[in-house]
Amino acid sequence: MLPKADSYEAVRDQFVWRVPERYNIGVNVCDKWAESDPERLALIHKRRDGGVEEYRFADIRTLSNRFANVLAAHGVARGDRVGILLPQAPETAVSHVAVYKMGGIAVPLFSLFGVEALEYRLANCGARAVVTDAVGAAKLAQIRDRLPELRAVFRIDGIGGAEGGACLDWHALTDAASDAFTPVDTAADDPAVIIYTSGTTGQPKGALHAHRVLLGHLPGVEISHDLFPQPGDRIWTPADWAWIGGLLDVLLPAWHHGVTVVSHRFEKFDPEQAFRLLADFQVRNAFLPPTALKMMRAVADPRARHAYAMRSVASGGETLGTELLDWGRQTFGVTINEFYGQTECNMIVSSAATLMPPKPGIMGRPAPGHDVAVIDGAGNRLPPGELGLIAVRRPDPVMFLGYWNNPAATAGKFIGEWLVTGDQGELDADGYIRFVGRDDDVITSAGYRIGPGEIEDCLIGHPAVRMAAVVGVPDPLRTEIVKAFVVLQDGVTADDALVAAIQEHVKTRLAAHEYPRAIEFLDQLPMTTTGKIIRRELRDRSPS
Ligand code: ATP
Ligand code: MG
């Protein structure tokens, strides 16, 4: 819990970490409430057929105890990896809690992953069991003979159909299992979860986290949701719980605080439905990544049709920018707080409208408890105004234990005691950190170092532009030139006049060297399953 104070400086200066020596995420997010307040509402799940299910913390304890017994009966032991290949669903949350309580290591996996992506991750972590549904089971059937360590596949939607025979029935087994389970006594430093990075810059890496990772997230979550929790809070995110942004920024911190989580599985993110869900369930707190916000911004007049109960909106994972901030104020009447982090060390920087003046276009300040700095290649802190490497100092409870089975990559992530994020940024005189770009995405043109985010933000301010991605393409004269890939709003046609108008729009708002000398129109941008623009692919398709 954050100290009670009304300025960022006071909260930061009074903050102390309280990480107990023995700590288990599953006990903390579930059994704690099941004992003290069993009827408290844990989850409201809107099914695809429109039906709504409610789960109390007592229900989550019973179900997770039973499933922990099922895992043990099928040979899953402490330290074993259990893949959770599911969209948002009650069984997804229950399986996580069960794995933590039995001392296993959960491996969240996106249900959108293709066969190759799954094989890479399951082989890499040596998963012993996987919890999935029919869609996941059909993919696993194609690779299972190449995964000798995978012994058990549990399906949450029955074991009918072609792939059914090779699977175990999650519900039938759970129904028949005992309610009684004594959680394994874990140390806060014991491994709990492997989360694969998004793979934006190359092969995804498995970041192994300890149980304490949840406690490490709390200060950032609390400030980015304007002093979360407040009475009546109820949180939702369209982000998948397989992403650190869904699991450790929403589901688990909410349950740590006993806050009700709303869940729903979108086949594909649908902005119209997102507005309806926010209104129907009177969601008070939402984590909406920039990509989701950009899609929601394209929906006409959402205020006229629905009444919202929003108290806080947080966004992160990509640059938020000023356009979305303005839109958020108009639409929900709140200032969207931006946060920053990465799978290896998350939620380390945030803005918080209740504690510090927002600075549009700038991510925010170090979340209480984290020492975040801009450093040079030798590990020295840089003064305000100098571009350098964004880094976090260890020890830090939110920091990963290392890349799974890859000590060389883990060592390569550090300069001395600094974890180096791979992102570049700059401090300002008030200690805010401006994100400039990933190392690979920073553009060097005519002697300037340009981050793509600011230009992309400016581009989406043009009324014809829905989404934009900016990269540097090689140029003999200027080293690189700025090239923009643009997705237009529905009904707009691309022509030379529009190119000139978009260029002019940027020229008049940003520095002259930042305008895109080349513009290409696309129907969609290449994105990771976490909604991050893969600029590397755009660079590769732009020959010099
Ligand atoms: P990989 O490491 O496999 O290439 P990835 O870095 O995209 O993939 P994640 O850990 O999911 O995988 O993403 C973290 C990265 O996302 C950060 O290092 C940063 O580049 C970007 N990011 C996160 N938050 C923000 C933000 N608020 N503004 C700009 N970029 C952000
Ligand atoms: Mg990364």
Side-chain angles (χ1 to χ4, degrees):
M1 265 296 198
L2 292 177
K4 294 255 176 299
D6 54 11
S7 77
Y8 165 78
E9 287 79 1
V11 170
R12 178 195 59 196
D13 295 347
Q14 292 166 31
F15 179 83
V16 272
W17 288 110
R18 288 197 181 82
V19 180
E21 206 263 319
R22 314 301 298 177
Y23 173 78
N24 181 285
I25 295 178
V27 174
N28 179 240
V29 303
C30 167
D31 294 14
K32 177 181 79 186
W33 294 110
E35 268 152 41
S36 64
D37 192 2
E39 290 306 304
R40 192 184 267 255
L41 191 55
L43 190 71
I44 303 175
H45 180 63
K46 182 181 175 188
R47 290 196 311 253
R48 295 285 290 285
D49 66 10
V52 176
E53 296 168 12
E54 291 190 349
Y55 295 82
R56 316 267 147 191
F57 280 98
D59 302 328
I60 304 293
R61 177 167 63 179
T62 306
L63 290 167
S64 60
N65 279 356
R66 289 179 180 177
F67 189 56
N69 283 320
V70 170
L71 286 169
H74 286 83
V76 178
R78 187 171 184 169
D80 284 348
R81 277 76 62 206
V82 179
I84 301 178
L85 172 58
L86 288 171
Q88 288 189 5
E91 295 90 340
T92 315
V94 166
S95 298
H96 270 280
V97 174
V99 172
Y100 302 135
K101 288 205 286 195
M102 63 155 306
I105 301 177
V107 186
L109 299 162
F110 282 91
S111 50
L112 287 174
F113 278 151
V115 187
E116 271 175 39
L118 279 177
E119 184 178 349
Y120 171 77
R121 290 163 177 82
L122 290 170
N124 181 264
C125 74
R128 185 166 182 123
V130 174
V131 185
T132 191
D133 57 9
V135 180
K139 293 175 191 164
L140 290 176
Q142 299 173 52
I143 51 177
R144 208 162 155 180
D145 56 352
R146 296 199 291 278
L147 298 168
E149 286 163 281
L150 178 57
R151 312 268 175 79
V153 175
F154 299 92
R155 252 180 73 177
I156 66 164
D157 50 358
I159 52 169
E163 263 55 78
C167 297
L168 298 157
D169 188 330
W170 193 98
H171 280 282
L173 291 167
T174 302
D175 287 348
S178 160
D179 288 356
F181 183 81
T182 307
V184 168
D185 177 26
T186 51
D189 280 332
D190 283 346
V193 55
I194 296 173
I195 306 185
Y196 284 86
T197 60
S198 295
T200 314
T201 53
Q203 273 294 19
K205 298 155 291 229
L208 177 68
H209 279 282
H211 284 270
R212 61 170 152 76
V213 69
L214 174 56
L215 300 176
H217 274 78
L218 296 176
V221 171
E222 290 168 18
I223 69 166
S224 68
H225 283 287
D226 294 313
L227 306 179
F228 186 78
Q230 299 291 323
D233 275 359
R234 174 178 281 189
I235 195 166
W236 172 70
T237 181
D240 205 290
W241 296 341
W243 183 34
I244 195 161
L247 185 68
L248 279 152
D249 298 347
V250 178
L251 175 67
L252 297 176
W255 281 8
H256 166 87
H257 284 304
V259 170
T260 308
V261 174
V262 175
S263 67
H264 179 61
R265 174 200 177 166
F266 285 98
E267 184 76 354
K268 200 167 161 278
F269 179 73
D270 176 343
E272 188 70 55
Q273 264 200 59
F275 282 116
R276 190 167 317 136
L277 190 139
L278 287 171
D280 284 353
F281 294 96
Q282 290 291 286
V283 171
R284 294 242 302 163
N285 323 87
F287 163 43
L288 302 170
T291 304
L293 289 168
K294 285 174 200 165
M295 292 171 76
M296 291 170 81
R297 197 178 72 116
V299 172
D301 213 8
R303 255 194 110 94
R305 279 167 295 144
H306 302 294
Y308 307 104
M310 282 318 223
R311 185 183 71 75
S312 67
V313 179
S315 190
E318 283 250 297
T319 298
L320 177 67
T322 55
E323 286 296 327
L324 294 171
L325 200 64
D326 291 344
W327 174 84
R329 286 207 184 94
Q330 287 157 22
T331 310
F332 298 122
V334 301
T335 298
I336 301 177
N337 292 321
E338 178 169 4
F339 65 79
Y340 163 86
Q342 54 181 211
T343 309
E344 299 88 338
C345 196
N346 195 25
M347 268 286 174
I348 49 174
V349 172
S350 179
S351 56
T354 39
L355 290 178
M356 57 175 112
K359 291 199 187 191
I362 296 188
M363 308 194 286
R365 295 157 97 177
H370 306 288
D371 185 0
V372 185
V374 176
I375 62 168
D376 65 16
N380 305 304
R381 285 178 197 261
L382 290 174
E386 280 190 39
L387 182 66
L389 315 170
I390 303 177
V392 198
R393 202 167 173 83
R394 62 180 166 192
D396 184 319
V398 87
M399 202 177 278
F400 73 154
L401 294 166
Y403 294 116
W404 179 256
N405 272 347
N406 198 343
T410 308
K413 186 76 179 161
F414 291 87
I415 297 177
E417 295 311 298
W418 294 107
L419 176 150
V420 181
T421 59
D423 297 316
Q424 299 189 18
E426 195 179 285
L427 276 178
D428 76 4
D430 302 320
Y432 286 64
I433 300 172
R434 188 165 76 87
F435 178 90
V436 173
R438 293 169 185 270
D439 290 342
D440 298 345
D441 289 342
V442 175
I443 303 161
T444 305
S445 187
Y448 294 100
R449 311 267 290 148
I450 306 167
E454 193 183 10
I455 308 173
E456 290 164 3
D457 182 35
C458 184
L459 285 163
I460 66 165
H462 188 282
V465 177
R466 178 191 298 230
M467 304 249 187
V470 165
V471 301
V473 295
D475 178 79
L477 198 64
R478 298 181 166 80
T479 320
E480 287 180 305
I481 57 158
V482 174
K483 174 166 184 183
F485 292 86
V486 167
V487 179
L488 293 171
Q489 301 284 18
D490 289 343
V492 181
T493 2
D495 56 22
D496 289 349
L498 183 61
V499 169
I502 293 174
Q503 287 174 327
E504 195 55 31
H505 173 86
V506 179
K507 265 190 202 166
T508 55
R509 284 165 181 81
L510 299 181
H513 62 269
E514 289 180 302
Y515 94 89
R517 284 173 191 271
I519 293 185
E520 188 175 329
F521 296 101
L522 297 177
D523 292 334
Q524 56 182 36
L525 299 176
M527 289 213 190
T528 64
T529 39
T530 55
K532 290 172 196 281
I533 302 167
I534 311 176
R535 295 188 189 80
R536 148 177 69 97
E537 272 183 26
L538 296 170
R539 272 193 296 274
D540 291 349
R541 50 175 286 164
S542 298
S544 46

